[in-house]
Structures are given as structure tokens and as C-alpha cells.
Amino acid sequence: MIRVFPRRTKWTPTDNLAFIGDPPMFRPQEQPVRISVTFTWDIDEGQRLFKAWSRYYRDVELGGPALNDPGNGFTQKMFIKEGVTFTSRGCPKRCSFCLVSKREGNIRELPIVPGWIVQDNNLLACSKDHQEKVFEMLKDQKGIKFAGGLDGDFLEPWHVDNFKKLSISEMWFACDLQIYLKRLERVADLLSDFPQDKKRCYVLIGFDRDEEEYRLNQVFKLGFLPFAQLYQGIKWKQYDYQWRSFARTWSRPAAYKSLIKEK
């Protein structure tokens, strides 16, 4: 199957049947074409690509998360690069700034496919039985990244015991509002045996720079490496240079560590 993407990201497949943009001069033989759109601001480009690829192929379909695909299954290496796995979809929470529950609904457990980059939206909200099976699968993996994020509200000591048995590279949490710092303090206590370079934290920014700089500093002080993310809603928002520079600095540990030392 030919898979087409409007843009390349760090998760885009790299095999010979994965394409970015328009059909190439030397095209693969006739087969199904699936155009996957991840971001809502790429929907227009996805529709254009649908027309472009339909000139050469009979079976062309347009879909993806931006078009409210609920993600009912996961096929390794199909629409995301090798090593990434989803063992569940959806989330029981209804955060106002997150589209996951609106697109994918409540938490749904999927068959577990081996991989070392766990991209579940809320793995810790799954049943204990499912999580234990995921941990068992991960025992055979190296450089494990919980890139989809781990929800501090669901983190318990038994999770930490399992983390200690794994070859973990990165554990990602989130602190999108100042009120979440208290939750992160609890997570920091539970994960006190892990070094800071393994503990990462997404930090939503783009509203109040003073508050967000305070929050980023607090996240660092709690023993996490913050990663600033400029908020993007349904429509793409173009931020000015100051905001982009602020985000860039606080997404690069070497940059903000230097900044913190200067204070």
C-alpha cells in the first residue's frame, strides 16, 4: 500500500512506499493509496494531494487523525515509523485543550504490538492487566520511550517498580497549567530514583509568558527536563519571533540549562 503524508515528521515512515507530497516522476505500480493527515491545518493540502494522486491511481482514500479517524487499529510501520507502538487509543479525560477524547473517545485497549516507543495517549488509564502485559513486552526492548506521555494522576508505586525493570530512555509527563505543578511534585517523589535526563515534561505555552517561564523553571527544579510546546488549536496559529525564540530555548536542554545557570 502506498502511504502519502502532507509533511514529514519524526514519526513518518521511511520505507519505499511512503511519500511526502505529490506523486513522483517514477511512480510505484497500481495499488491502493492512503493519504494520512495528522494536523487539522494540513487538511487542505491533504485534499489537494487526494486529487493529485487520483490522476494516477484508482483506489485513493483520504483519512487520518485530523479527519477524526478514531484509530481503531494499529499496523506497525504502516502510517508511523518502525519502533513506534500504540497499545491503546482514547482517553477518559476531557481536557479543554486536547482533541484526543473528542476524536478517539474513551480509553480502548488494543492488541499489543512490540515496539520501544510507546505512543499511547494515556497508557496508565488502561486496566492493570493490560499495562502489565505492556511492561512484559517492553522487557525485550532497549531505549524505551514513553513518548505519548504518562499521566501523573494515574501513576502509582507499582508502575515505578516496573519502570525499574526496563531499559528506559525517556519518560514523558505534562504540566500544561500551573495547578498541575502539585501533581508533578508527587510524580517527582515517586520517580526520585531516576536521573533527570530520563524524566521529560511537555509544557504548554503561548498565553502568558511570565507564568509559563515560572512554570518551566519549576518543572526543571522538580527534576524534569521541560519541553515547551506552543499551543496549536484547530487552525494553525503563526507566533511572532519572540514566542518562537522562547519556545526554541525551552525545548533544548543545553540552551535553558545555560540560561538557568546565568540567573
Side-chain angles (χ1 to χ4, degrees), residues 19 32 46 52 56 60 65 73-75 81 112 128 132 141 166 168 174 182 191 208 236 239 243 257:
F19 295 88
Y56 303 100
V60 182
F74 171 70
T75 303
K81 76 174 186 178
I112 297 170
K128 186 173 182 179
E132 288 176 337
Q141 308 296 322
L166 303 177
I168 294 177
K182 196 69 178 176
L191 298 178
D208 182 337
W236 175 264
Y239 287 89
W243 270 117
K257 284 181 180 180

Side-chain angles (χ1 to χ4, degrees), residues 15 22 40 45 48 52 70 97 101 130 133 140 142 170 179 190 201 212 217 223 232 247 253 258 260 263:
D15 62 273
D22 290 296
T40 52
E45 175 65 1
R48 188 191 71 78
F97 45 80
S101 62
H130 179 83
K133 290 177 182 177
D140 296 327
K142 302 295 182 184
E170 297 172 3
I179 57 173
L190 286 169
C201 187
E212 289 155 3
N217 275 283
Q232 291 292 350
S258 176
I260 290 170
K263 290 184 178 181

Side-chain angles (χ1 to χ4, degrees), residues 2-262:
I2 295 171
R3 288 96 66 225
V4 179
F5 305 86
R7 68 176 70 219
R8 184 174 298 282
T9 72
K10 64 179 181 179
W11 302 134
T12 306
T14 57
D15 62 273
N16 292 334
L17 290 178
F19 295 88
I20 309 299
D22 290 296
M25 182 177 297
F26 299 102
R27 296 178 295 276
Q29 64 184 10
E30 177 67 37
Q31 56 193 292
V33 176
R34 300 295 179 260
I35 301 169
S36 180
V37 182
T38 300
F39 306 109
T40 52
W41 48 86
D42 284 333
I43 290 177
D44 289 345
E45 175 65 1
Q47 293 170 339
R48 188 191 71 78
L49 290 173
F50 175 82
K51 295 178 182 178
W53 283 84
S54 294
R55 297 191 189 103
Y56 303 100
Y57 294 89
R58 293 188 297 271
D59 182 4
V60 182
E61 293 183 6
L62 175 65
L67 295 164
N68 296 320
D69 185 336
N72 287 323
F74 171 70
T75 303
Q76 198 167 35
K77 298 190 291 185
M78 186 61 72
F79 292 98
I80 203 160
K81 76 174 186 178
E82 183 178 6
V84 178
T85 185
F86 288 86
T87 78
S88 67
R89 291 285 194 178
C91 180
K93 292 187 172 182
R94 300 292 183 269
C95 300
S96 60
F97 45 80
C98 181
L99 295 173
V100 171
S101 62
K102 298 180 179 68
R103 289 174 174 168
E104 300 181 8
N106 204 352
I107 198 79
R108 288 172 290 123
E109 297 171 358
L110 306 176
I112 297 170
V113 177
W116 59 91
I117 304 171
V118 183
Q119 198 64 24
D120 297 38
N121 291 304
N122 203 332
L123 173 63
L124 302 189
C126 294
S127 68
K128 186 173 182 179
D129 179 66
H130 179 83
Q131 293 180 62
E132 288 176 337
K133 290 177 182 177
V134 173
F135 293 141
E136 188 64 31
M137 176 274 289
L138 290 172
K139 287 180 181 179
D140 296 327
Q141 308 296 322
K142 302 295 182 184
I144 298 162
K145 298 180 180 181
F146 290 99
L150 298 168
D151 191 331
D153 283 343
F154 295 100
L155 185 69
E156 300 293 342
W158 74 268
H159 291 120
V160 180
D161 292 338
N162 278 277
F163 292 155
K164 291 178 178 179
K165 300 174 185 177
L166 303 177
S167 173
I168 294 177
S169 172
E170 297 172 3
M171 291 180 286
W172 285 86
F173 293 86
C175 189
D176 294 328
L177 299 171
Q178 191 165 323
I179 57 173
Y180 294 163
L181 283 169
K182 196 69 178 176
R183 176 175 67 187
L184 201 62
E185 289 178 11
R186 174 179 173 274
V187 173
D189 288 340
L190 286 169
L191 298 178
S192 60
D193 290 339
F194 289 84
Q196 187 171 31
D197 66 340
K198 293 182 184 293
K199 296 181 291 189
R200 310 296 181 93
C201 187
Y202 298 113
V203 179
L204 190 67
I205 66 169
F207 304 96
D208 182 337
R209 194 171 307 173
D210 289 338
E211 183 279 323
E212 289 155 3
E213 186 168 21
Y214 169 80
R215 183 158 30 102
L216 286 158
N217 275 283
Q218 292 303 112
V219 167
F220 183 82
K221 289 179 180 177
L222 286 172
F224 297 82
L225 294 181
F227 183 87
Q229 291 185 304
L230 285 165
Y231 174 76
Q232 291 292 350
I234 296 296
K235 295 184 179 180
W236 175 264
K237 179 178 179 179
Q238 183 63 45
Y239 287 89
D240 61 27
Y241 173 79
Q242 285 77 18
W243 270 117
R244 297 196 306 273
S245 177
F246 180 66
R248 185 167 56 252
T249 296
W250 281 98
S251 60
R252 297 167 55 234
Y256 58 71
K257 284 181 180 180
S258 176
L259 184 67
I260 290 170
K261 286 181 180 179
E262 292 175 0

